Amino acid sequence: MIVQAICFYLFAAITVASGVMVIAARNPVHSVLFLILAFFNAAGLFVLAGAEFLALILVIVYVGAVAVLFLFVVMMLDINFVELRQGALQYLPVGALVGLVLLVELILVFGAWVAGPEVAQSIAAPLPLATNVTNTAALGQLLYTRYVYVFQASGMILLVAMVGAIVLTLRARTDVRKQDINVQVGRRRADTLEIVKVRPRQGV
Amino acid sequence: MNDALPSFVPALPEMFLAASAMVLLVLGAFQRGPHVAREIGWLGVVALAVTAALVMSFGYERKVSLYGMMVTDGFGMFMSVLTLIGAGFAIVMAMRFNEREGVARFEYPVLVLLSTTGMLMMITANDLISLYVGLELQNLALYVIASFQRDQTRSSEAGLKYFVLGALSSGMLLYGASMVYGFAGSTNFDTLAHTLEASNASIGLIIGIVFVAVGLAFKVSAVPFHMWTPDVYEGAPTPATAFFSIAPKTAALALFVRVMIYAFGELVDQWQQIIMAISVASMILGALAAINQRNIKRLMAYSSIGHVGYALIGLAAGTPAGVRGILVYMAIYVFMNIGTFGVILCMRREGRLVEGIEDLAGLARTQPMLAAALAIFMFSMAGIPPLAGFFAKFYIFMAAIDARLFWLAVLGVVTSVVGAYYYVRIVKIMYFDEPKGAFDPGIGREMQAVVLISAMVILFFIVFPSPIVGAAELASATLFPG
């Protein structure tokens, strides 16, 4: 038990600390690296909670794909982040005030957490017991039955994202020479070849 | 725990629309020819009509399906059909514009269909999860539509602004939804209503509801969450603006009403004051800020903010009469907006779209029919009897008085008088100012039809109000169980 508690506080502390570093780091590449660290620790928290599938998905998708993509974008685009940040200080008082109000609200709310007795019964879609099925199977059972409607709709959202990206960026360029195999195969000798009779000492 | 795959029959309209969008996408990608966009557009209109027929085939009866994820009832049917009508007109209105601006691409109707699928999901959502997924499907397509004229900075800027603020509002909505889930233990509307009936709401749940309301207020662009509206409406291509002001607004308002009245109906004392505050603020801002506008699209943005304020009075009332008022209001609002944007899209000078209000001068002399139509829509928006806009406001104010919200009704009347100034000013400019030059002739048969149909609806609502009012009456009753 004590080991678990130590692990939890360790992971949680590193997650929060690296979260702060993501916005505080001067170098954007360092920011992204701290983001990856935060993802890893969040995955650790998931493992502690017994959700190993989510933990692995977090590492594979967020670290493996999203964060690496971020890294590429940050390195490819030469953005001067110091310049972007120059106006930020003047918004700090307002932002800090809003954050403070939110924090106080949250403390008030979670300090007075009372869940009614019927809340426990109505908890939406409890997972199957972890002893019976594996994590992955349990998620699959829910996704393809109870949540199949929204699962399919999420697929539609991805389709829209794909269509949108193509609509906004694809341009039919006219200055590119494309290989057209049909034209190449259908070419006749007469189209390209001309036999010229060259008389001696007259040139072409 | 042995769940089976649920029956998908109740989701038939959504599935049909999504499938036809995908078929049209493939068709458009493989078709060649100069009129592909137009053909796909008309096929899209057909798909919307079939979907409307499918929606109507379910009837007024309330039925929860797909493990409580969606609900089909009269309220949803009414709003879905309105949204589908709005989307159909938006596709028709965009055809000629897109061809002239050189952006006639088949993706436009496909994106409209996809976003309409999201709207149907929103309207029939019975769970915070399906609400959110529907909302995102709708929004993501709308961002792309806003920046469809990608070679124009204005359009791209509108899309980006819409995206950033839309993401912000989605974040707020999700935050609120997570609080609601944390304190009530469920995201399902039925379970939420049941839980709230049994126990008092905790402060955390109320904060969650406030956040959900803020997110939804962003989507219907109610003050103080309206700031994206004028910029996006001005920057987006005009047919896209027409679409934004019609279909998403109807769907988001339907969602707002369903979440507040059905899921959180027990807490009406808690949210009523919020709705009243944003309603009053929207009415006042809609009336005052529009006065100084020179661009007619910006003016329409402020006008739509004001209209949302009036519709929210019905929600603040929280009664069946109030919901009926909203339904009638939205039905008439949709047709007024279709007509107005139809006229705006017809006004071109030297091949360019005329957007300034001063440029309308003397329209009555150069194009008397268009001017007459625009005058009808403007008088209707101002709420002058016997046009339909008057009855829209009438039902809303009646509901407010029945719910003993007298000052809200009085404020509504006062702001609509103030708002009448800028509507009537447009009529004055069209009829009494010196013409600034001829408009391009040849507005196209489909645009004539669009303007004519909406003008007919607005004019003759007083003679045949029963199709809309009767259906709204039946539809609003399904939202109040027992």
Side-chain angles (χ1 to χ4, degrees), chain B residues 122-201:
Chain B
M122 283 159 68
I123 294 172
T124 58
N126 196 39
D127 194 296
L128 288 171
I129 299 175
S130 47
L131 175 161
Y132 176 70
V133 172
L135 200 69
E136 279 307 291
L137 179 56
Q138 176 223 220
N139 273 342
L140 206 58
L142 291 184
Y143 306 143
V144 182
I145 291 175
S147 41
F148 203 75
Q149 266 182 315
R150 57 186 190 188
D151 295 327
Q152 289 205 357
T153 340
R154 279 201 323 167
S155 178
S156 312
E157 186 193 324
L160 194 62
K161 255 183 198 158
Y162 200 5
F163 175 69
V164 172
L165 287 170
L168 180 71
S169 66
S170 292
M172 292 209 181
L173 190 98
L174 273 184
Y175 187 63
S178 71
M179 300 271 277
V180 169
Y181 179 60
F183 282 90
S186 177
T187 52
N188 187 277
F189 291 173
D190 293 308
T191 321
L192 278 176
H194 182 71
T195 314
L196 293 179
E197 222 169 274
S199 62
N200 287 331

Side-chain angles (χ1 to χ4, degrees), chain A residues 106 109 123-124 144 147 167 170, chain B residues 5 69 150-151 175 185 207:
Chain A
L106 280 182
V109 166
I123 286 181
Y144 291 100
Y147 295 110
V167 166
L170 183 72
Chain B
L5 200 66
M69 279 288 156
R150 57 186 190 188
D151 295 327
Y175 187 63
I207 291 185

Side-chain angles (χ1 to χ4, degrees), chain B residues 260-316:
Chain B
M260 288 301 159
I261 300 262
Y262 188 73
F264 303 129
E266 289 293 319
L267 299 178
V268 63
D269 304 333
Q270 306 286 348
W271 52 257
Q272 196 176 32
Q273 36 191 319
I274 304 173
I275 303 294
M276 282 198 278
I278 60 177
S279 158
V280 167
S282 309
M283 286 189 295
I284 293 176
L285 188 107
L288 296 181
I291 291 175
N292 265 331
Q293 299 307 321
R294 306 198 168 280
N295 183 299
I296 195 156
K297 279 157 80 181
R298 272 189 102 80
L299 182 124
M300 288 304 289
Y302 283 109
S303 144
S304 85
I305 291 171
H307 283 302
V308 164
Y310 294 115
L312 285 177
I313 294 181
L315 179 56

Side-chain angles (χ1 to χ4, degrees), chain A residues 102 105-106 108-110 112-116 118-119 122-128 141-142 144-150 152-154 156-157 159-161 163-172, chain B residues 1 3-6 8 11 14 18 22 25 66-67 69-70 105 107 111 114 121 124 129-130 133 136-137 140-141 144 147-148 150-151 175 181-186 191 195 198-199 204 207 211:
Chain A
L102 255 173
E105 274 181 358
L106 280 182
L108 283 179
V109 166
F110 288 107
W113 183 306
V114 261
E118 59 286 317
V119 167
S122 64
I123 286 181
L127 282 168
Q141 272 181 21
L142 278 181
Y144 291 100
T145 56
R146 198 169 275 268
Y147 295 110
V148 68
Y149 179 53
V150 283
Q152 295 293 336
S154 314
M156 293 297 297
I157 294 180
L159 176 75
V160 172
V163 174
I166 293 172
V167 166
L168 293 182
T169 54
L170 183 72
R171 280 161 206 279
Chain B
M1 182 99 189
D3 286 339
L5 200 66
F8 275 100
E14 282 89 348
M22 288 187 263
L25 190 65
L66 288 157
Y67 289 106
M69 279 288 156
M70 76 173 291
R105 305 175 59 186
E107 285 99 338
L111 282 168
L114 286 169
M121 284 190 67
T124 58
I129 299 175
S130 47
V133 172
E136 279 307 291
L137 179 56
L140 206 58
V144 182
S147 41
F148 203 75
R150 57 186 190 188
D151 295 327
Y175 187 63
Y181 179 60
F183 282 90
S186 177
T191 321
T195 314
S199 62
I207 291 185
F211 270 102

